[in-house]
Amino acid sequence: MPGSPSTPSHSPPLRVAFALVAVLLGITGGLGNALISANLANVQGHLGLTPSEGAWLPAAYLMVNISTSLVLIKFRQQYGLRRFAEIGLSIYVLLTVAHVFVEGFAMAVFVRAASGFAGATVSTLAVLYMLQAFKKADMGRGLVLGVGISQLATPLAWLLSPALLDLGEWHRLYVFEAGLALCSLAAVVVLKLPPGERIKIFESLDFVTFALLAPGLALVAAVLTQGRVQWWNSQPWMGYALLASVILLTAAFIIEYNRKNPLLQTRWLGSLETLRFAMGAMMLRFILSEQNFGAVGLLQTLGMGADQLHSLYAVMLAGLLGGICTSALTFSQKAVIPQILTSIVLIGLGSFMDADATNLTRPRDMFVSQGLLSFAAGMFMGPLMLIGVMSALKNGPQYMVSFAVLFSLTQSIGGLAGPAAFGSFQVIREKFHSSQINGHLDPTNPVVAQRLQVQSQIYSATQTDPVLRQAQGISQLSAAASREANVLAFNDVFRVIGLLTISFLSWSLFHTVRAAWAAKKTEQLQTDTPPPVTV
């Protein structure tokens, strides 16, 4: 394919070198945004940002990253892989170095937005380098590993952050990321990808489409990121942003629908098979929000910090590695659907296992459930991408741009919509449970009165005024009630995710059985049809 490297026969040491560079690139490409997400409170405090301002930092990265695949594929098809690699990585190095000197909210948002574009370049290179490490017959395994590497960035960011922060302020995080980026640039310059075919492919209308799609998708990402923080119906700008995104996206699709050589194959994107794939891909990423929002959010609500979550993220990292390796080792065309279905089952099991959490739940209590979820996250990504790639290539190489946009969109929107939806649901359920709990806190009740007395006695050594002691006791009891309401709300979230997973599994099994039955019927008709008689 134009824009992809050729696949010559490499010696074993060279294949190992390509694989190691792919690992370096994959981790580097995903680590920047993961470090921001894992240490948002530290960065927010250092820059003096409000919670809504702090939320713009990861949002800016995703707002740009979500649409970059529109131009990256055509860029490397027209200008070549080496220029694509060296320019993209050079920009990424400059931006990571700029992070070290960032001061102020506006500059921080700009750097994160630009990093969203450059980070997509590095993640693409990781997949291309990993493919070089495998023979042609095993390139499916290379695709599984290449796609899965970037998923390791989130647990690694949580594991590395405490040690890096101990060395200094939050800038140390970006000194480390800048070092990785420099190492990646050096590795790409020294070990170059084999040359590939180049074609002249850019058209003037491509830039018009990009100018419409990029802000349209960015506005959707902004609303999903800020909706739970600023609340959906309290900020008029969110409604205007969604309206503008609908207008921009509709205009882009109208232009593409009527083009002779479209950037996006709108007819293929609108087909029933493609829509079903998009829904399944988005739903998988949506229900996996149980991990990064549900379990971690519950533990943080219970007062767990990065140091206490260290062991849990180590389990998540091991689960991801196990899922990726299992998917690669068992890879075959027949195993793709069973791997995806197994991932859905594991997500459901993990969600229901977490649904009985209490205020005494600690990270060790979630090792098994989060290990299952991480294993599922590592196992489904490669097979899912392979299904989409094969569906696109059946129609021709020009459909790869459309597939790249579709896959990126489903994973990004699913990853944003999950925390937004479940976070909003958790807030609503917390208010409900708080009203139920506080409604039973009658000071005339002997049990409640005894609890208030115990809470007040805690401050007897430091507070002599009985009225103030009573007020502090009431405050402590209210805080305990709020904590219990939050735990119950998170349990509701886990149950909803479990029920959604069961529904999704049933839907997937229905379509899998129907497709297998249709294929068997077609094969039987071909067998029963007699050959034509030649006269």
Side-chain angles (χ1 to χ4, degrees):
M1 282 179 55
S4 297
S6 56
T7 53
S9 179
H10 299 299
S11 63
L14 195 56
R15 292 186 186 278
V16 172
F18 275 114
L20 293 175
V21 173
V23 172
L24 175 62
L25 289 168
I27 292 174
T28 302
L31 197 61
N33 195 51
L35 285 170
I36 277 284
S37 300
N39 300 279
L40 189 58
N42 286 312
V43 177
Q44 184 177 306
H46 181 83
L47 296 177
L49 307 180
T50 64
S52 61
E53 289 175 335
W56 280 113
L57 297 180
Y61 180 95
L62 293 169
M63 287 168 66
V64 176
N65 186 267
I66 197 173
S67 58
T68 51
S69 52
L70 276 168
V71 294
L72 286 182
I73 291 181
K74 282 203 167 186
F75 181 90
R76 71 175 196 256
Q77 286 178 338
Q78 182 157 329
Y79 297 105
L81 274 167
R82 292 182 179 178
R83 189 175 299 179
F84 167 81
E86 292 171 5
I87 292 176
L89 265 171
S90 298
I91 293 173
Y92 190 76
V93 168
L94 291 173
L95 291 170
T96 51
V97 172
H99 260 305
V100 181
F101 304 102
V102 162
E103 292 292 341
F105 174 62
M107 184 60 181
V109 171
F110 170 76
V111 172
R112 292 310 305 152
S115 296
F117 187 89
T121 306
V122 183
S123 300
T124 301
L125 285 173
V127 177
L128 296 177
Y129 268 84
M130 185 59 75
L131 291 176
Q132 294 296 317
F134 289 82
K135 298 178 181 179
K136 288 185 180 181
D138 296 323
M139 278 195 174
R141 292 184 170 89
L143 179 66
V144 171
L145 294 175
V147 172
I149 291 170
S150 60
Q151 293 180 277
L152 304 178
T154 297
L156 279 175
W158 281 91
L159 289 171
L160 294 173
S161 293
L164 292 172
L165 289 172
D166 286 343
L167 298 175
E169 294 180 347
W170 67 279
H171 290 91
R172 292 293 180 271
L173 302 172
Y174 299 108
V175 171
F176 178 73
E177 186 190 2
L180 283 177
L182 286 167
C183 291
S184 298
L185 179 60
V188 168
V189 170
V190 172
L191 184 61
K192 298 182 183 298
L193 287 168
E197 182 183 353
R198 292 166 56 180
I199 57 175
K200 186 173 177 58
I201 194 169
F202 272 121
E203 298 180 6
S204 56
L205 279 178
D206 291 341
F207 300 100
V208 176
T209 299
F210 182 76
L212 293 170
L213 281 176
L217 294 174
L219 288 171
V220 174
V223 171
L224 289 175
T225 305
Q226 289 288 340
R228 181 165 56 101
V229 179
Q230 300 188 29
W231 204 246
W232 307 94
N233 57 359
S234 63
Q235 297 294 330
W237 72 264
M238 293 187 188
Y240 292 120
L242 289 176
L243 177 62
S245 70
V246 170
I247 295 172
L248 291 169
L249 295 175
T250 302
F253 272 81
I254 290 173
I255 291 174
E256 290 299 293
Y257 186 83
N258 293 288
R259 285 180 63 182
K260 184 179 179 181
N261 298 310
L263 177 66
L264 294 176
Q265 304 292 336
T266 54
R267 291 172 177 82
W268 177 74
L269 290 173
S271 65
L272 186 60
E273 181 184 359
T274 305
L275 289 175
R276 191 181 299 127
F277 169 82
M279 181 178 176
M282 189 180 299
M283 191 64 183
L284 268 169
R285 184 55 60 188
F286 184 83
I287 58 179
L288 270 172
S289 300
E290 197 274 1
Q291 191 164 57
N292 53 23
F293 165 75
V296 175
L298 170 65
L299 294 172
Q300 288 177 329
T301 300
L302 293 174
M304 303 291 106
D307 291 334
Q308 288 85 3
L309 295 175
H310 202 270
S311 58
L312 181 62
Y313 274 100
V315 171
M316 290 182 183
L317 179 61
L320 272 172
L321 286 170
I324 294 169
C325 293
T326 300
S327 179
L329 291 173
T330 61
F331 176 83
S332 69
Q333 192 170 358
K334 293 182 179 180
V336 168
I337 298 299
Q339 286 177 348
I340 294 176
L341 294 176
T342 302
S343 298
I344 299 172
V345 171
L346 293 178
I347 294 170
L349 285 175
S351 299
F352 283 118
M353 288 175 68
D354 289 337
D356 59 350
T358 68
N359 61 9
L360 298 177
T361 297
R362 294 296 179 264
R364 63 178 179 275
D365 300 317
M366 292 187 162
F367 282 175
V368 176
S369 63
Q370 296 309 302
L372 292 175
L373 284 162
S374 297
F375 190 89
M379 187 164 60
F380 90 86
M381 182 67 81
L384 183 70
M385 188 172 187
L386 189 68
I387 290 174
V389 168
M390 298 306 294
S391 176
L393 288 179
K394 283 192 302 186
N395 298 280
Q398 68 272 21
Y399 282 72
M400 280 304 297
V401 175
S402 301
F403 167 71
V405 173
L406 177 67
F407 190 79
S408 174
L409 188 64
T410 58
Q411 297 305 291
S412 299
I413 296 297
L416 289 171
F422 296 132
S424 301
F425 179 74
Q426 191 271 337
V427 170
I428 293 171
R429 294 301 296 173
E430 187 273 333
K431 300 301 181 187
F432 170 78
H433 289 300
S434 288
S435 66
Q436 295 292 310
I437 293 173
N438 290 324
H440 291 85
L441 292 180
D442 183 3
T444 61
N445 186 310
V447 177
V448 176
Q450 184 182 16
R451 179 65 181 269
L452 286 172
Q453 184 179 6
V454 171
Q455 295 289 148
S456 301
Q457 289 175 352
I458 296 174
Y459 302 98
S460 59
T462 57
Q463 181 58 258
T464 58
D465 190 332
V467 176
L468 289 178
R469 284 204 308 267
Q470 180 76 3
Q472 288 173 327
I474 294 174
S475 175
Q476 287 293 315
L477 186 59
S478 298
S482 176
R483 184 184 65 237
E484 293 298 328
N486 273 293
V487 172
L488 292 172
F490 273 108
N491 286 342
D492 292 341
V493 170
F494 296 141
R495 292 188 188 97
V496 167
I497 294 175
L499 293 173
L500 284 174
T501 304
I502 292 174
S503 302
F504 181 43
L505 178 63
S506 302
W507 178 80
S508 302
L509 284 172
F510 170 75
H511 287 290
T512 301
V513 171
R514 191 181 70 168
W517 181 80
K520 185 177 180 180
K521 187 176 180 181
T522 302
E523 183 182 353
Q524 186 176 359
L525 285 174
Q526 291 175 347
T527 304
D528 295 341
T529 303
V533 178
T534 303
V535 179

